Amino acid sequence: MFPKNFLWGGAVAANQCEGAYLEDGKGLSIQDVLPKGVKGARTEKPTPDNLKLEGIDFYHRYKEDIKLFAEMGFKVFRTSIAWSRIFPNGDEEEPNEAGLAFYDSLFDECLKYGIQPLVTISHYETPLHLAEAYDGWLDRRLIGFYERYVRTIFARYKDKVKYWLTFNEINSILNSPFMSGGINTPKEQLTDSQLYQAIHHELVASALATKIGHEINPEFRIGCMILSMPVYPLSPDPSDVIKAMEEEHKNSVFTDVHVRGEYPGYVKRYFREHGIELDITDEDREILKNTVDFISFSYYVSVCATADPAKNIRGEGNLLGGVPNPTLKASEWGWQIDPKGLRYVLNQLWDKYQKPLFIVENGLGAADTLVPDGKGSFTVEDDYRIEYMRDHLRQVEEAIEDGVDVIGYTSWGCIDLVSASTAEMRKRYGFIYVDRNNDGTGTLARYRKKSFRWYKSVIESNGESLKEGKADEISGH
């Protein structure tokens, strides 16, 4: 069963929901020039087809939305601070007061309902100036700019925010260096040494944030955030098993450094064999020893790996791709659905690190249809989403029974928002429908989906309603 203080809630990112991209002194972020998401080309300047410029207008409607989250019974709400609201260019000496004041109001609104804010410091929204003038995290100076930013927000919100995440899905920089690391150099021109140097700068900045946070408020709980994607061998052939292990290592190095404070042997071997040389100072090594309080992660898909080049065909996956698993079904967007993989990941991380775990993203992106609710309003009959989440949450409970310390679960896109991968509205995750379409039309009105009532009952019962039979009863069958 779920622990009685389990943190149930939902998650969003500033760049996907806030809008107001130039209001109150905000500077441009890399998201403002990614109108087609991570999979599309960047533009020189913001263009009208970029739905993130308005998002779902959370910037002006957050009170209405948080009230809906409170109605569901949220204990925690994960959001991010837009770095360019606080430091519009990223390299200023002084912060933008209007940006700071907005997040004061947002966090106060959460606390009014007893909802704990869980705040991501950098969620795919590096200030555009830092990308264009410094080439993002390739430049060591970004550590100092990030430090100034974290000192500012830690000091400002030290009595309002307890839970912090340093970088969203930090390992996604391997595949998406511009969106994840603000690296302006095209991916195909980056050397391995450059990419891992940028990664090193982020890891040092993350550890430095942990150190500073604990100094400013010892009650802070600071975590890393990893894109988790279990890699299964495609066959029992030992070569496939080793290949799967090597693929896992590419991602687990990020967790290893955050939790253990140093680079593991397997990545040192990888550096040696690939001629990767990094500038790592003695001071860097000292800073890296400031390890996280908990591990948070996203979980959407699992993938397979094979040593056989003929079978090594990449699927859609999340940001990291991988070979599709022939035993699993996929979503409309080609992401394979594997609830048991979530139990597997939780056990893997717990066995290896013995640190509390927080699932901060999980959910189903689907094309929803708005229908009359019979009471003069509208709803979405999203039984497919209820089934997806019920199956995953049952596996979370199995992991807790296995002895894993899971402290919370925030479903991704608890209110519909602009997708990160494709920058469209049609790919919806929420319990709350937002009336906005891919062409930008719509009233922005909010409607409770069927899953809204279902998730409310899950939280109210602390997961008891997930038991066989009860979930169907509550969701209205």
Side-chain angles (χ1 to χ4, degrees):
M1 66 202 293
F2 289 88
K4 67 177 191 303
N5 56 350
F6 192 77
L7 292 168
W8 295 99
V12 300
N15 71 84
Q16 292 169 258
C17 69
E18 282 181 3
Y21 83 107
L22 280 182
E23 277 189 49
D24 296 329
K26 180 186 172 292
L28 294 179
S29 93
I30 55 166
Q31 289 293 345
D32 298 324
V33 293
L34 284 173
K36 301 303 174 199
V38 69
K39 299 192 174 176
R42 64 156 291 185
T43 53
E44 273 307 300
K45 294 189 173 77
T47 50
D49 60 336
N50 189 340
L51 295 179
K52 288 167 285 192
L53 304 185
E54 188 181 358
I56 58 164
D57 197 28
F58 182 75
Y59 192 79
H60 299 111
R61 297 167 184 251
Y62 66 90
K63 291 187 178 181
E64 170 193 350
D65 294 337
I66 289 165
K67 189 176 181 185
L68 287 166
F69 302 155
E71 188 185 326
M72 274 186 280
F74 279 18
K75 315 286 185 212
V76 64
F77 172 52
R78 178 186 173 216
T79 189
S80 65
I81 292 175
W83 187 348
S84 61
R85 283 202 194 282
I86 311 304
F87 290 95
N89 286 327
D91 59 0
E92 294 92 345
E93 292 288 329
E94 296 300 323
N96 170 35
E97 175 55 33
L100 289 166
F102 168 71
Y103 293 105
D104 270 321
S105 300
L106 173 58
F107 302 149
D108 286 344
E109 198 66 20
C110 291
L111 295 168
K112 181 172 108 180
Y113 294 102
I115 299 171
Q116 290 271 355
L118 165 63
V119 177
T120 314
I121 296 167
S122 178
H123 192 132
Y124 292 163
E125 50 209 340
T126 308
L128 185 61
H129 174 73
L130 295 184
E132 293 184 336
Y134 300 90
D135 218 354
W137 283 96
L138 278 182
D139 194 313
R140 184 175 275 277
R141 285 174 290 180
L142 258 75
I143 298 172
F145 301 143
Y146 183 82
E147 178 184 355
R148 186 180 299 150
Y149 167 48
V150 298
R151 283 189 186 278
T152 302
I153 59 176
F154 282 166
R156 179 76 169 224
Y157 309 123
K158 67 180 189 300
D159 301 320
K160 298 183 182 187
V161 178
K162 177 182 176 183
Y163 296 98
W164 300 89
L165 307 177
T166 53
F167 289 92
N168 180 66
E169 293 184 329
I170 188 167
N171 50 323
S172 62
I173 192 172
L174 292 169
N175 283 64
S176 308
F178 182 67
M179 187 166 87
S180 186
I183 298 171
N184 213 27
T185 300
K187 181 181 168 185
E188 58 279 5
Q189 292 172 25
L190 278 178
T191 66
D192 286 348
S193 291
Q194 284 177 310
L195 184 57
Y196 276 96
Q197 188 67 54
I199 288 166
H200 175 71
H201 293 152
E202 281 199 328
L203 290 169
V204 171
S206 181
L208 187 56
T210 305
K211 177 178 187 287
I212 293 164
H214 288 149
E215 286 166 0
I216 287 175
N217 184 349
E219 296 297 305
F220 279 173
R221 291 293 166 263
I222 301 170
C224 57
M225 200 301 208
I226 308 293
L227 192 166
S228 84
M229 200 163 63
V231 184
Y232 307 141
L234 190 61
S235 79
D237 182 329
S239 296
D240 281 5
V241 176
I242 293 294
K243 183 67 175 172
M245 179 188 80
E246 288 171 349
E247 289 298 313
E248 287 266 13
H249 279 165
K250 287 179 184 174
N251 294 314
S252 59
V253 59
F254 292 84
T255 327
D256 276 344
V257 175
H258 274 106
V259 177
R260 295 186 169 143
E262 59 184 7
Y263 285 97
Y266 60 80
V267 81
K268 291 177 183 174
R269 174 183 180 171
Y270 183 83
F271 290 166
R272 279 195 311 272
E273 293 182 355
H274 289 80
I276 297 169
E277 292 186 14
L278 302 186
D279 168 31
I280 302 178
T281 67
D282 289 342
E283 187 189 7
D284 291 347
R285 291 189 180 89
E286 222 27 61
I287 291 169
L288 288 177
K289 291 176 184 171
N290 294 280
T291 55
V292 292
D293 300 310
F294 65 95
I295 299 164
S296 80
F297 62 92
S298 60
Y299 177 79
Y300 297 101
V301 296
S302 60
V303 293
C304 292
T306 176
D308 182 348
K311 295 177 183 169
N312 195 15
I313 301 154
R314 284 170 70 84
E316 284 293 311
N318 194 336
L319 298 176
L320 302 185
V323 180
N325 187 327
T327 71
L328 296 175
K329 290 187 295 193
S331 76
E332 291 170 76
W333 274 265
W335 295 18
Q336 292 200 290
I337 298 170
D338 178 16
K340 288 181 179 173
L342 181 50
R343 177 185 177 188
Y344 177 69
V345 157
L346 285 163
N347 271 275
Q348 247 189 340
L349 290 169
W350 177 249
D351 291 349
K352 191 171 179 186
Y353 301 114
Q354 302 281 297
K355 285 269 186 188
L357 304 175
F358 205 142
I359 305 152
V360 295
E361 284 187 34
N362 171 244
L364 177 68
D368 292 337
T369 304
L370 205 57
V371 295
D373 68 352
K375 301 172 192 168
S377 187
F378 295 91
T379 189
V380 174
E381 298 287 334
D382 57 343
D383 293 289
Y384 42 87
R385 183 169 290 109
I386 292 169
E387 180 187 3
Y388 176 100
M389 298 194 70
R390 184 189 63 219
D391 291 350
H392 281 77
L393 284 167
R394 283 176 176 168
Q395 293 301 320
V396 175
E397 189 165 21
E398 289 289 343
I400 291 167
E401 291 298 320
D402 292 332
V404 179
D405 181 6
V406 189
I407 56 177
Y409 174 91
T410 56
S411 73
W412 176 248
C414 48
I415 180 168
D416 290 347
L417 38 66
V418 182
S419 150
S421 56
T422 54
E424 56 187 332
M425 277 300 302
R426 196 172 72 88
K427 187 184 185 187
R428 298 173 181 274
Y429 284 88
F431 305 117
I432 300 160
Y433 185 95
V434 177
D435 181 26
R436 192 168 191 221
N437 306 307
N438 273 4
D439 63 3
T441 59
T443 64
L444 293 172
R446 274 61 166 155
Y447 301 103
R448 297 167 185 80
K449 302 180 190 179
K450 186 176 182 179
S451 56
F452 182 103
R453 300 191 302 278
W454 174 83
Y455 195 48
K456 183 177 194 287
S457 70
V458 170
I459 298 173
E460 252 170 14
S461 67
N462 198 33
E464 278 300 302
S465 65
L466 296 164
K467 301 274 190 286
E468 294 288 348
K470 289 193 179 178
D472 294 335
E473 224 173 87
I474 287 158
S475 62
H477 289 286

